[in-house]
Amino acid sequence: MSTVKFYDREFTSRLLIGTARYPSPKIMQEAIRAAKSQIVTVSVRRESAGGKAGSAFWSLIRELDVTVLPNTAGCRSVREAVTTAKLARELFGTPWIKLEVIADDETLQPDVVGLVEAAAILVKDGFEVFPYTTEDLSVAQRLVDAGCRVVMPWASPIGSARGIVNRSALKLMRERLPDITLVVDAGLGAPSHAAQAMELGYDAVLLNTAVSQAADPVAMAGAFRLAVEAGRDGFAAGLMDARDFASPSTPVVGTPFWHAVS
């Protein structure tokens, strides 16, 4: 079984999953198990709220025996994101942080300038940063230059379920950053979208809304797991290139033929 490496840790699952907006805590747990995810994202703000609700949620996560990837969701400035990341390190005892710096309330598009700045600050402070960004190659390269060994470009805006809207850009990013762990994060709405991302050679995908808001989150989590596995296997097997013309699957040369005898 192939593995995917996030910084210095290896995992067999290539499907990361979020923990927000499930119909119930029980369904959340069952969905994560159905996905066979080994890494789950957790909102720092949710956990830091404290009280019985926060403690109960953390107990549910511990029962799953998964690796926690805290995120800075909702942060709209470099200062806010850095402060939230430091709080996450104290709360969860991990140098991992999914870094989000949001520029626009409607599209939730990343503030790419602030993202690069915050990533550089956090890397220098010993964090292992998972930056959520757009499909822009120049931004991804700046994040790598800042010390990020994982980059997480979106397929399309968070929660849009539109799938990959700029396939060429994601393909180019994969080609130009062969040694970086790349995760498609946000915008995947169907298992086929996840398979397409994996067929491009991406190392993993991260989901939340497509599973948590499905009519049957548990069944959908299982469907995404299978799609991720199929997409990765297809990429590893070597996909044929698309063509602009037809090509017969059965060769004509050398095959027998008959003709009528008068």
Side-chain angles (χ1 to χ4, degrees):
M1 181 180 295
S2 67
T3 61
V4 57
K5 193 170 186 178
F6 294 102
Y7 287 92
D8 295 323
R9 300 181 62 183
E10 292 188 356
F11 298 85
T12 56
S13 173
R14 295 175 181 271
L15 174 57
L16 289 67
I17 199 164
T19 56
R21 302 180 65 191
Y22 287 87
S24 72
K26 182 176 183 295
I27 291 176
M28 177 196 72
Q29 282 189 315
E30 291 176 353
I32 293 172
R33 291 190 177 108
K36 295 188 178 179
S37 295
Q38 296 170 305
I39 301 173
V40 300
T41 60
V42 175
S43 170
V44 178
R45 295 186 176 203
R46 179 176 182 176
E47 179 60 21
S48 63
K52 293 183 179 180
S55 298
F57 175 77
W58 185 229
S59 295
L60 291 172
I61 297 300
R62 283 199 297 266
E63 289 175 7
L64 293 167
D65 190 28
V66 293
T67 296
V68 172
L69 174 59
N71 65 55
T72 64
C75 292
R76 287 171 169 75
S77 70
V78 172
R79 180 177 180 180
E80 187 179 14
V82 169
T83 300
T84 303
K86 291 180 178 179
L87 176 60
R89 184 163 56 183
E90 293 180 12
L91 283 171
F92 299 101
T94 177
W96 279 17
I97 190 71
K98 181 189 172 189
L99 180 62
E100 299 182 29
V101 184
I102 301 303
D104 181 76
D105 290 337
E106 182 176 346
T107 65
L108 299 180
Q109 180 170 324
D111 172 358
V112 294
V113 176
L115 181 70
V116 172
E117 182 181 346
I121 293 170
L122 292 172
V123 168
K124 289 179 180 178
D125 195 25
F127 282 88
E128 296 178 341
V129 180
F130 294 61
Y132 163 62
T133 183
T134 65
E135 75 277 25
D136 190 305
L137 176 61
S138 64
V139 176
Q141 290 175 323
R142 288 180 181 274
L143 289 166
V144 171
D145 292 342
C148 298
R149 288 156 54 191
V150 176
V151 176
M152 306 176 77
W154 69 1
S156 51
I158 294 174
S160 68
R162 293 169 59 192
I164 297 173
V165 297
N166 194 343
R167 184 179 184 278
S168 296
L170 287 181
K171 184 179 180 181
L172 179 62
M173 187 182 296
R174 177 69 286 176
E175 292 171 354
R176 293 291 186 87
L177 301 175
D179 300 321
I180 299 299
T181 300
L182 296 179
V183 182
V184 172
D185 175 17
L188 302 180
S192 58
H193 298 163
Q196 290 166 14
M198 300 305 295
E199 288 169 356
L200 288 175
Y202 275 69
D203 298 288
V205 300
L206 193 156
L207 309 166
N208 193 159
T209 308
V211 172
S212 66
Q213 298 299 291
D216 186 339
V218 178
M220 187 62 75
F224 268 104
R225 173 180 59 81
L226 293 173
V228 168
E229 292 174 357
R232 181 64 189 183
D233 287 348
F235 171 76
L239 298 165
M240 67 177 289
D241 294 327
R243 300 172 179 174
D244 294 328
F245 52 87
S247 177
S249 57
T250 302
V252 175
V253 177
T255 60
F257 65 93
W258 293 266
H259 64 276
V261 177
S262 58

